[in-house]
Amino acid sequence: MSIREVAARAGVSTATVSRVFSRPEAVAADTRHRVMTAAEELQYSPHPAASSLAGGRTGNLGIVVPDIANSFSAVVIKAVDRQARREGYALFVAGSEEVVHDEEASARALVQQVDGLLLVSPRMPDDALLALAGATPVVVLNRLLDGIPAVLTNLYEATRHAVEHLHALGHRTVVYLAGPDGYPNDVRLRGFRDACGRLGMEGSEIGPFAARFQAGVRAADLVLATSATAVVAYNDDIGVGVINRLADRGVHVPADISVVGFDDTQLAEVVTPRLTTVRIPAADAGTAAIEMLLDLVRGRDVTVRSPRQVSAELVVRSSTGPVRAVASAAGQDPAP
Amino acid sequence: MSIREVAARAGVSTATVSRVFSRPEAVAADTRHRVMTAAEELQYSPHPAASSLAGGRTGNLGIVVPDIANSFSAVVIKAVDRQARREGYALFVAGSEEVVHDEEASARALVQQVDGLLLVSPRMPDDALLALAGATPVVVLNRLLDGIPAVLTNLYEATRHAVEHLHALGHRTVVYLAGPDGYPNDVRLRGFRDACGRLGMEGSEIGPFAARFQAGVRAADLVLATSATAVVAYNDDIGVGVINRLADRGVHVPADISVVGFDDTQLAEVVTPRLTTVRIPAADAGTAAIEMLLDLVRGRDVTVRSPRQVSAELVVRSSTGPVRAVASAAGQDPAP
DNA sequence: TAACAGAGTGCAAGCGTTTACACGATCAGT
DNA sequence: ACTGATCGTGTAAACGCTTGCACTCTGTTA
């Protein structure tokens, strides 16, 4: 089951067999057929480790994400896996569980056995990132660093839209529930602050929280301790956690408090009330990233291209509504 | 940055350097230190492809799942990834998107570059599975096949409990919404049928459906076309889809129809009404599977052990309730 | 003191490919 | 008929590591 036995059976040299598998068009048609039948009869297929060693290409790609079980990551992975397989690559996956050290270690471990690496919302220091990018083609999703090809979302704008939406509903005091430190949180936060500033709203922040349901549950009580009438949560999981806890405490959404999330997870469509959220097209982002990576791997584009944008947008549902008329003259509630 | 340069710098042979990295205890302490400092100064680390080729071990594990973005799969992957990294293995992930051919192809592609393979709910034919298992250590999750180490859930019993629960609530006509063909669906179905038979209930089946929210939405209308008062859905996604659509059609859960799901996804706790569901401890299952696999890989246990069980259990929430008293004598509703 | 065990190290033969280079054959252009 | 491309194939040297075997030392044991 090595190349030699195929070569012997087909009456050719190992070089020819090798070429049949790597550059078939460089081999005469009849020779090629002879080799291929021999290979099939022997159930031969090239040994990946040997190919990598000799050829320098591994045929593998790698992706490292903050949390595999997180819906956003999972969808990205799925899209990437799909595309990778279609292009004949196998995919390594590693989750950093949000700890920088593991993230770096995973990436470094992978770098030797992949042809390219995709980093999702990486939190490692700039120089670590650059070092990786020096060792293998790297594309990042959700992070901006000079010299590294990136896929970004227009989350800054989308966050502003979310805040404007709340403003339009009459909210004037609003709180942002921060997620784990890093680019994705930063850009939301900037968008939030800038929008609040521009619109003259009173915006405050609590956190950081883990990007999970339970963290949202916990956050809800902190929110109630403020005078905010609306909350912008780092992601849907947190947002839904907030909604749940608010319900337990008898606070109505959106009548008493409005909630908006991020990601447009399946969750968002399914909770009661349905969650207003900023949709981030995870699958598109994943696909865009893997495409850039493949271009890079194949050396198609040595110049580092400008970051590619996928566009997030606010999806308005039922978890946001007009602020309760506290001492307002403009009461417009119909009598029951 | 090859072993030779490290050897030269440390004044030893390449064999010694190799041993320092593979069996450090076989090298004298001072030599080891010399080698390690040399390696660090040179930023050396062994080339995986070369090690695999020469040593026959890859240091990689692989997992193939039906759908990466599905919450159950994602949690399994997360648990497996965690454990694998902890043990020094890198992890390949492949999603079959529920198509048998892709599943087989992925598994076969991986088999050459891993030391062991974990298949989650595989649907490939028995002989394909056995062929794989002949080529590399294989553990399956959610499938039973003689000679292949497996991790199973006591889903048969748990399904029975679900049906008994419905029976106790007075339901007599119940429908099962099937998921994709395969072991996981089979065992639910058997449990369902047997329980219905035993309890004298009228049980029917519709499907198969894709294991997704939208499929559940679609299924809901089919359910309403029957006279069933309760539905057992293949998983939470479908169950939640059903609930959603029923709500849209003005049918109340659980007042008019009861719904139970499987998996105890985050979704289940968050929808309104909260979903009664059979909890399958995905993380435990993943961990158990990877542990078996590692034992196998390390040759600790050549005898194929009996399938390991992780235990599913019914979690009763608000989506199941007493059947509506149609023409029953035992009305017990308090007047409003 | 001889014999021997064990620890530590080096030598060198692989592991299964890829690919630069060389070679012969075929073919077009002159 | 001669030159030079072009095509198809073979030869053989890597690629970077592991490991069986042999060797040299130190101790131990008798």
Side-chain angles (χ1 to χ4, degrees), chain A residues 70-336:
Chain A
N70 167 58
S71 171
F72 179 81
S73 298
V75 171
V76 171
I77 296 174
K78 179 174 177 175
V80 168
D81 170 64
R82 188 185 152 87
Q83 193 65 18
R85 180 170 27 272
R86 174 173 308 174
E87 300 284 344
Y89 287 87
L91 185 68
F92 280 107
V93 173
S96 66
E97 318 211 6
E98 307 270 10
V99 355
V100 175
H101 176 266
D102 286 8
E103 176 185 285
E104 246 192 274
S106 297
R108 263 215 296 270
L110 253 29
V111 86
Q112 300 190 84
Q113 34 190 347
V114 299
D115 295 337
L117 210 47
L118 175 54
L119 270 20
V120 178
S121 309
R123 289 167 64 190
M124 70 183 77
D126 286 359
D127 53 350
L129 203 45
L130 289 167
L132 280 177
T136 197
V138 166
V139 168
V140 296
L141 180 51
N142 268 343
R143 169 136 175 195
L144 192 53
L145 178 53
D146 238 40
I148 303 206
V151 174
L152 300 175
T153 51
N154 60 341
L155 226 45
Y156 177 81
E157 287 78 11
T159 307
R160 275 187 29 212
H161 294 160
V163 175
E164 286 165 3
H165 167 68
L166 293 172
H167 183 265
L169 291 170
H171 296 274
R172 293 297 176 267
T173 310
V174 42
V175 55
Y176 173 70
L177 302 180
D181 289 333
Y183 180 88
N185 185 63
D186 289 349
V187 56
R188 287 161 169 79
L189 186 52
R190 271 194 298 114
F192 175 81
R193 280 187 184 147
D194 291 359
C196 286
R198 182 161 331 182
L199 297 165
M201 298 169 69
E202 186 180 328
S204 59
E205 304 126 31
I206 321 185
F209 296 97
R212 279 199 287 276
F213 178 81
Q214 275 307 327
V217 170
R218 182 161 61 84
D221 294 317
L222 304 184
V223 169
L224 285 180
T226 74
S227 56
T229 60
V231 2
V232 176
Y234 172 76
N235 75 352
D236 287 353
D237 288 5
I238 295 179
V240 169
V242 169
I243 288 183
N244 253 47
R245 176 61 180 164
L246 290 182
D248 284 356
R249 290 198 48 186
V251 178
H252 296 291
V253 174
D256 299 323
I257 288 190
S258 288
V259 177
V260 4
F262 280 83
D263 287 355
D264 195 17
T265 298
Q266 199 175 58
L267 233 48
E269 233 177 341
V270 150
V271 284
T272 309
R274 291 160 74 231
L275 186 66
T276 294
T277 185
V278 175
R279 170 180 302 157
I280 309 178
D284 292 354
T287 305
I290 189 78
E291 272 166 7
M292 286 183 82
L293 188 55
L294 284 170
D295 281 359
L296 227 63
V297 166
R298 292 166 176 162
R300 269 203 208 127
D301 206 1
V302 186
T303 71
V304 171
R305 40 172 89 194
S306 59
R308 184 146 153 201
Q309 288 255 358
V310 303
S311 59
E313 58 175 350
L314 182 68
V315 179
V316 177
R317 298 211 181 88
S318 346
S319 69
T320 46
V323 70
R324 195 165 42 180
V326 186
S328 147
Q332 55 175 355
D333 359 25

Side-chain angles (χ1 to χ4, degrees), chain A residues 71 78 264-272 274-275 279 317, chain B residues 67 69-71 98 177-180 209-221 223 231 233-248 259 262-263 265-268 270-273 275:
Chain A
S71 171
K78 179 174 177 175
D264 195 17
T265 298
Q266 199 175 58
L267 233 48
E269 233 177 341
V270 150
V271 284
T272 309
R274 291 160 74 231
L275 186 66
R279 170 180 302 157
R317 298 211 181 88
Chain B
D67 179 2
N70 167 58
S71 169
E98 307 270 10
L177 301 181
F209 296 97
R212 280 199 287 274
F213 178 80
Q214 275 307 329
V217 170
R218 182 161 61 84
D221 293 318
V223 169
V231 4
Y234 172 79
N235 76 351
D236 287 354
D237 288 5
I238 296 180
V240 168
V242 168
I243 288 184
N244 254 48
R245 175 61 180 164
L246 290 182
D248 284 356
V259 176
F262 280 82
D263 287 354
T265 298
Q266 200 177 56
L267 233 48
V270 150
V271 283
T272 309
L275 185 66

Side-chain angles (χ1 to χ4, degrees), chain B residues 177-199:
Chain B
L177 301 181
D181 289 332
Y183 180 88
N185 185 62
D186 289 349
V187 57
R188 287 160 169 79
L189 186 52
R190 273 195 297 113
F192 176 79
R193 282 188 183 145
D194 291 359
C196 286
R198 183 161 330 182
L199 297 166

